[in-house]
Amino acid sequence: MSAVALERRPAVQARVIVALAQRALAVQLRRAQFLIPALVLPLVLLAVIASGTSAGRNLPGFPTSGSYIGFVIGGALLQGALLAGMTAGTAMAGDIEGGFFDRLLAAPVHRASIVLGRVVASLVVGAAQACLFLAVGLIFGADYAGGVLGVTAAVVLTAMVAGAAAGATGALALRTGSVELLRNFFPMVFVLLFTAPAFFPRQLLSPAMHAVTRFNPLTYVVEGIRAVLHDDRALGSPAAGFACAAGLLTGATALAVLAMRARTRGA
Amino acid sequence: MAAIETSDSSILVEGLVRDYAGVRAVDGVDLEVAAGEIYGFLGPNGAGKSTTVRILTTLLRPTAGRAVVAGHDVVSGASGVRRAIGVALQEASLDPLMTGRELLRLQGALHGLRRREAAARGEELLERVDLVAAADRRLATYSGGMRRRLDLALALVNRPRVLFLDEPTTGLDPASRAALWREVRALNADGTTVFLTTQYLEEVEQLAGRVGIIDQGRIAAEGTPSELKERLGGPALHIDLVDLGRTEEARAALARFGPCTDRPGGGLRVRTPEGARAIAPVVRVLDEAGIAVDAVEVDLPSLDDVFLALTGHRAVEEDAEA
Amino acid sequence: MTTGVAYSAEVTAAMWRRSLLEIRRVRGGMLPTILAPLIFLLGNSGQFGRLGSLAGFPTDSYMAWLLPLACLQGAGFAGGAAGANLARDIEQGLFDRLRTSPAPRPLLLAGPVVASMTRSVIPATAILAVGLAFGTGLSGGVLGLLALYVAALGTCMAAAMWGCLLALRYRTQQVGPLIQNGVFLAVFLSTAYTPQPLLQGWLGTFAPYNPFTYVLELGRQATVSGVEPSWAHTWPGLVAIAGMVAVLGALALRALGRIGN
């Protein structure tokens, strides 16, 4: 008989991850309080910023490719991704507080699969949300010169950020097991967003903010999103965007797996 | 609003109805509580007890019917009712951030006491319910018994003529319960009318002069505890036989004592107004018939039996399962 | 026994003292009302700072434009908290105890509303201090500052009544986010980012109908326009506050009256 335990076989692991991801998705879709903030908040902010700051177009140095809403939608995608990931982390803390997590641990499931299930679910939510936001943008006058390929790339980048946010907040959830703490992290979404050129071109940010953005990986992701959406390399580097998104996703997932190990070892 | 003349009743309820989203929670309740009485209002969860109390304390308006408390109509004279009553509600929470002393002073202010008066009244009541030592602790740290005592003190701030206690001892340990009962008796001795809801039959037997039993929104029975028990036809004897095969012979022999029924698990139950005095004649009759008796017990009916007979279920069964 | 005005004052004061316990006894309780507006202030001025250089923008400093908005937002959140706290009191049964007292019904709301206005001074002042520390000048002087605080307190009062209305209507703590999102939206769907002449699209159409546009204008006399009692900057804001308080207050009182139905 094979020495590899059943739960370590790759095919079994994949099935477990899919099942856990499906469950995470089902919970998120069925509970309005999980879904609404990540969906509604970015769209409202998009509507307000797209109209409220559109005079910015007249500033010298503002990129000319695409419409104004087409430019700021990158920020909305990023915000939605961060909120969706954060929601996943909060839901995980809820599982820990509510005891569902212990049931998972009692099952012969590979520990990493529990984390990966969450991350995969957030990738799906992030991608679906990005499609929705881009469609809403389209209705309200955005155009995407990058075509299907550009839109797909933007969706993938957004999904990766959502997965990374789920990994990072999942790590926090695993370390603390506190829904309350995760909720208190909510303002961090906006700190991360505003310290990247989410809604305005980097060269037009205030000098202090410009200096800060260099150290925020989301800067390169959002610039990458705009570059692929509008097929304009002057807006950013797709390669840098993908590199940062991939780094964030792997780093955050690794953090979550480590937190999982620490948690189960402590238990 | 002028006070309504209601002879000497403290509470007068006529045809009270309350609907909640299509469900009739209170369905034509009539009752009358005399001044100085302790009235026990008994019923299982969901029977309409709390809804009735909420109407009588002006928290809820009736769908139909009328209720007069301390001479004021609960709808048109609500503020008059509020001045005259004290209320300790089952689910009334206490602000966990406040201390007992602060909450008592707030309650005093709400009843129109000046700051100094409210403070003095607060001290007096803290002493009365034995919470002086805990007066400056936050309510979050109070035990269940302490919370109930404070709740009672809050209800007494305005020296109410009518006191409503909604399940005042639910969840309390026996000692705390006994202490609260003592306090209720003392208040009543001072002339306070008490309207008490409870699921505990022992509580009304201990405290109440009269009892109303509410079930499915209607008053199923009303009277003194002993009146209600008498309706069941007095005490009964439980007779265990050595040989269950002779049960029918025993039944025939015992027929002259009173109605005779089977007991679950064997044996007979004879209802007889003689009670314990019937034990010797019963044993003698059976002995003469050559039927050996294993045991005879006297069963005095409790309010629980009354409740069961009237409503078809026990007073607290829902609660135990919930 | 006290009567009439003295009684009303005593009840309101007692309720006010009770509501203020939250400041002293909940550690960090005021933090969210300060933090969120601060992040928006610093984030938005970092992002959109260059808007201040557009022709037609009434100030060179974009932070000076945003600072009154952030103060109003903080005060508004403090007001919304009055509603959230009321919802908690209703859900936990504490409000029933208050309702069985003979205190006139409006006083049961007056205490928490006045307390939230007292509390709102904390976020408004903290945010103002940060803005000043970042170099924003008080071009409106003392009178401008007064106008800003009047705007902040008015915003808080309107938000508190909005919060009480929703709390009395839905009677559950879950209404908390709805209250605060309402405050957030009301404040932002205005001339939040740019003055009316520079507003384009739907917000340009909507902002003039939002009373907060005028309350903001009132507050901006502290850092942008300077005080000059006029129909351009001062009076419409005061009228807007009075209108919102009257309408929302009446609706909240009606909801309070219906709570026993």
Side-chain angles (χ1 to χ4, degrees), chain B:
Chain B
M1 189 68 210
I4 300 165
E5 238 358 274
T6 50
S7 63
D8 62 345
S9 350
S10 257
I11 301 172
L12 181 67
V13 175
E14 287 171 352
L16 200 68
V17 172
R18 172 69 204 198
D19 293 337
Y20 269 124
V23 177
R24 188 146 285 195
V26 173
D27 187 10
V29 164
D30 298 299
L31 57 86
E32 195 170 343
V33 179
E37 206 181 352
I38 299 184
Y39 187 86
F41 204 42
L42 190 65
N45 278 348
K49 289 193 305 274
S50 286
T51 305
T52 306
V53 170
R54 290 177 73 80
I55 294 172
L56 295 180
T57 55
T58 75
L59 288 174
L60 207 58
R61 273 185 275 277
T63 307
R66 73 169 196 139
V68 177
V69 174
H72 302 273
D73 186 278
V74 292
V75 178
S76 58
S79 56
V81 173
R82 290 174 192 139
R83 272 191 289 274
I85 62 171
V87 187
L89 286 176
Q90 185 190 351
E91 282 156 15
S93 77
L94 305 167
D95 185 341
L97 290 180
M98 297 180 88
T99 68
R101 185 169 273 133
E102 285 167 348
L103 192 49
L104 273 163
R105 287 181 185 185
L106 172 64
Q107 187 82 357
L110 290 170
H111 278 282
L113 302 184
R114 289 176 202 286
R115 274 184 97 162
R116 201 170 298 164
E117 289 172 332
R121 180 71 178 146
E123 296 314 305
E124 191 184 319
L125 288 167
L126 283 168
E127 241 163 78
R128 176 158 198 169
V129 298
D130 197 19
L131 283 174
V132 175
D136 291 316
R137 272 169 47 191
R138 289 199 204 172
L139 301 177
T141 67
Y142 276 35
S143 70
M146 291 163 81
R147 297 169 76 89
R148 285 306 167 112
R149 266 149 47 211
L150 180 64
D151 211 10
L152 181 66
L154 289 164
L156 298 177
V157 161
N158 57 327
R159 298 186 172 82
R161 280 192 282 150
V162 186
L163 180 62
F164 289 89
L165 301 174
D166 194 6
E167 306 208 1
T169 62
T170 298
L172 288 194
D173 61 79
S176 307
R177 180 172 298 176
L180 209 118
W181 287 350
R182 269 197 304 280
E183 195 54 49
V184 171
R185 282 194 202 99
L187 283 165
N188 182 243
D190 291 345
T192 310
T193 308
V194 180
F195 189 93
L196 168 94
T197 80
T198 183
Q199 298 186 48
Y200 300 123
L201 297 138
E202 192 195 352
E203 193 153 284
V204 290
E205 291 197 276
Q206 284 281 337
L207 292 176
R210 266 186 331 127
V211 183
I213 292 180
I214 185 167
D215 189 50
Q216 295 176 355
R218 290 169 174 277
I219 301 283
E222 199 183 38
T224 65
S226 44
E227 276 169 10
L228 290 177
K229 284 192 258 181
E230 271 168 30
R231 287 202 201 169
L232 278 183
L237 295 184
H238 289 179
I239 301 146
D240 291 338
L241 304 174
V242 174
D243 180 3
L244 288 180
R246 306 192 62 185
T247 302
E248 287 315 308
E249 283 173 67
R251 190 197 307 276
L254 294 175
R256 61 185 163 110
F257 289 98
C260 192
T261 50
D262 286 325
R263 294 187 64 213
L268 292 166
R269 176 186 162 96
V270 184
R271 176 162 293 160
T272 162
E274 305 289 311
R277 290 194 304 278
I279 292 178
V282 162
V283 172
R284 201 174 311 125
V285 165
L286 291 175
D287 191 41
E288 283 165 5
I291 302 168
V293 174
D294 194 21
V296 180
E297 265 175 43
V298 185
D299 178 29
L300 295 168
S302 66
L303 270 180
D304 202 21
D305 296 317
V306 178
F307 200 88
L308 183 62
L310 285 169
T311 69
H313 48 83
R314 303 229 166 242
V316 287
E317 61 190 355
E318 283 96 328
D319 195 45
E321 281 172 29

